[in-house]
Amino acid sequence: RLIEFEKKIQARLQRAGYMTEEFFVQPFSYNNGSIVVLSKEIIGETINYDDIDYYDLGKNLFKIHSVLNDLSVSLKNEIRMKTKKISYYVAKLSNLNNDLAKFIENKLHINLIDLLKLSTPNCISHGDFHKDNLIFVDNKIIGILDLESLRYTNIFFDMCYLLLDSAVIDDDENIFIKRLFKIIKGYNIDLNKHYEEIYLTCCCIEIESFVYALAVSNKIAVNRIISQIEWLGGLKKYLI
C-alpha cells in the first residue's frame, strides 16, 4: 500500500497529465515485445527502446522532474531521508569484497573515491525509470508506474538509468550516445558541461546494483552486472 506522501505525489503527476494509480499489468497480448497494460481508466502499452522518441522522452522527463521537485519541504525531506548516498555504496563494496572493488575500478577506469565528486543531489527522481514503467498511447507517454523508488539524486540519474537498461538490449555505444543526445536536447540542458557527471552517474547506478547483488549472493546478477560494468568502461571514451 502506498504511503501517504506517495499518494500526494501521484495526485501531482495526475494533475500534470500522467496516469499513475490503479494500473494492472496484464500480459494478455504481445506486439513486438510490448505488454498491453490495463487500468480502470485507460488502456496503454509499453514499447520497445527502438520505438521511443528520445527527444520527447527528454521533454517528459523534464516535466516529471519539475512536478516532483515542486513538492513541499516535508515531502522532499522524507525522500532525502530514504535515499542512500553514494558514499554508502562505495564503503559497502570495499567492505564486501575489496578485490572486486579494485577490479571494478580497473574496468570503469576510475577510483571509487571519484564517485564522491558528483555534484550535490539536487533533484527528486523517479528512481526506476525504464520502458516498462512508462505507458504509451500513440508513442506518447501518458502513464508512469512504480513510484516506490523515488530518490534524491541529480537530474541525470533517471535518464542514465533508462539508457543503461536499454544498453542491455542494444549494447552499441553509438546508439547509447545518440539516445543520450536526444534526451538531453529534449530536457534542454548543455551536454558539454556534464559529460563526466553523466559517466559517473552511470557508474554509481551499476555499483549500487552490484552491491545489492553481492549482498544477497545472487551470482547470476553479479555476473550480469560485471558484464555491464565492462561495457560501461568501454563507453567512457565516448563521454569523457
Side-chain angles (χ1 to χ4, degrees):
R1 194 171 75 85
L2 291 174
I3 61 177
E4 193 61 32
F5 84 86
E6 288 174 320
K7 290 182 178 178
K8 291 179 180 178
I9 292 167
Q10 282 186 333
R12 286 177 176 268
L13 287 168
Q14 288 168 8
R15 287 196 293 272
Y18 299 105
M19 302 304 301
T20 62
E21 64 181 9
E22 296 189 81
F23 280 85
F24 301 93
V25 179
Q26 176 66 36
F28 72 91
S29 176
Y30 287 87
N31 181 13
N32 294 324
S34 296
I35 303 173
V36 174
V37 178
L38 299 179
S39 83
K40 292 182 178 179
E41 301 180 54
I42 67 167
I43 297 177
E45 63 179 6
T46 65
I47 65 176
N48 294 324
Y49 280 120
D50 282 344
D51 299 324
I52 291 176
D53 180 337
Y54 287 90
Y55 175 77
D56 187 65
L57 180 74
K59 290 174 64 177
N60 275 277
L61 186 56
F62 177 81
K63 184 178 177 182
I64 293 165
H65 283 173
S66 297
V67 172
L68 294 178
N69 287 278
D70 192 34
L71 301 173
S72 67
V73 172
S74 61
L75 290 176
K76 286 184 178 179
N77 284 338
E78 287 193 59
I79 296 170
R80 284 191 188 101
M81 288 173 62
K82 78 184 188 97
T83 302
K84 289 185 173 67
K85 295 180 180 179
I86 185 57
S87 55
Y88 167 86
Y89 293 102
V90 169
K92 192 78 171 175
L93 177 58
S94 297
N95 290 336
L96 283 170
N97 192 319
N98 192 55
D99 289 338
L100 272 177
K102 295 297 183 185
F103 171 81
I104 287 175
E105 284 184 328
N106 290 334
K107 291 298 181 182
L108 292 176
H109 313 294
I110 62 170
N111 293 314
L112 289 177
I113 198 70
D114 292 340
L115 300 179
L116 306 183
K117 297 177 183 177
L118 278 171
S119 61
T120 302
N122 57 2
C123 180
I124 304 296
S125 300
H126 181 278
D128 194 18
F129 197 72
H130 58 81
K131 68 180 183 65
D132 292 334
N133 278 335
L134 300 173
I135 309 305
F136 295 81
V137 169
D138 296 330
N139 249 27
K140 299 295 181 183
I141 298 172
I142 53 87
I144 305 168
L145 302 181
D146 193 2
L147 296 172
E148 297 178 0
S149 300
L150 291 171
R151 59 193 296 152
Y152 196 59
T153 179
N154 63 34
I155 63 173
F156 302 110
F157 185 92
D158 282 336
M159 62 182 77
C160 289
Y161 193 95
L162 179 136
L163 288 170
L164 287 171
D165 187 64
S166 75
V168 174
I169 302 168
D170 305 308
D171 61 348
D172 184 314
E173 292 89 347
N174 291 312
I175 290 175
F176 184 102
I177 297 299
K178 287 177 182 177
R179 289 172 177 173
L180 173 63
F181 282 179
K182 290 178 181 178
I183 293 174
I184 290 291
K185 187 174 181 180
Y187 202 99
N188 195 27
I189 49 181
D190 184 358
L191 179 60
N192 290 324
K193 297 178 180 179
H194 299 288
Y195 281 109
E196 183 177 18
E197 188 168 11
I198 288 171
Y199 180 70
L200 292 178
T201 299
C202 289
C203 292
C204 287
I205 291 168
E206 294 294 1
I207 287 171
E208 182 176 332
S209 298
F210 189 63
V211 166
Y212 178 78
L214 278 177
V216 298
S217 301
N218 187 333
K219 292 183 179 180
I220 294 175
V222 166
N223 290 332
R224 174 177 54 79
I225 296 166
I226 286 175
S227 295
Q228 291 173 216
I229 286 171
E230 290 176 331
W231 179 86
L232 180 59
L235 181 70
K236 183 176 182 179
K237 62 180 179 290
Y238 292 85
L239 287 175
I240 301 176

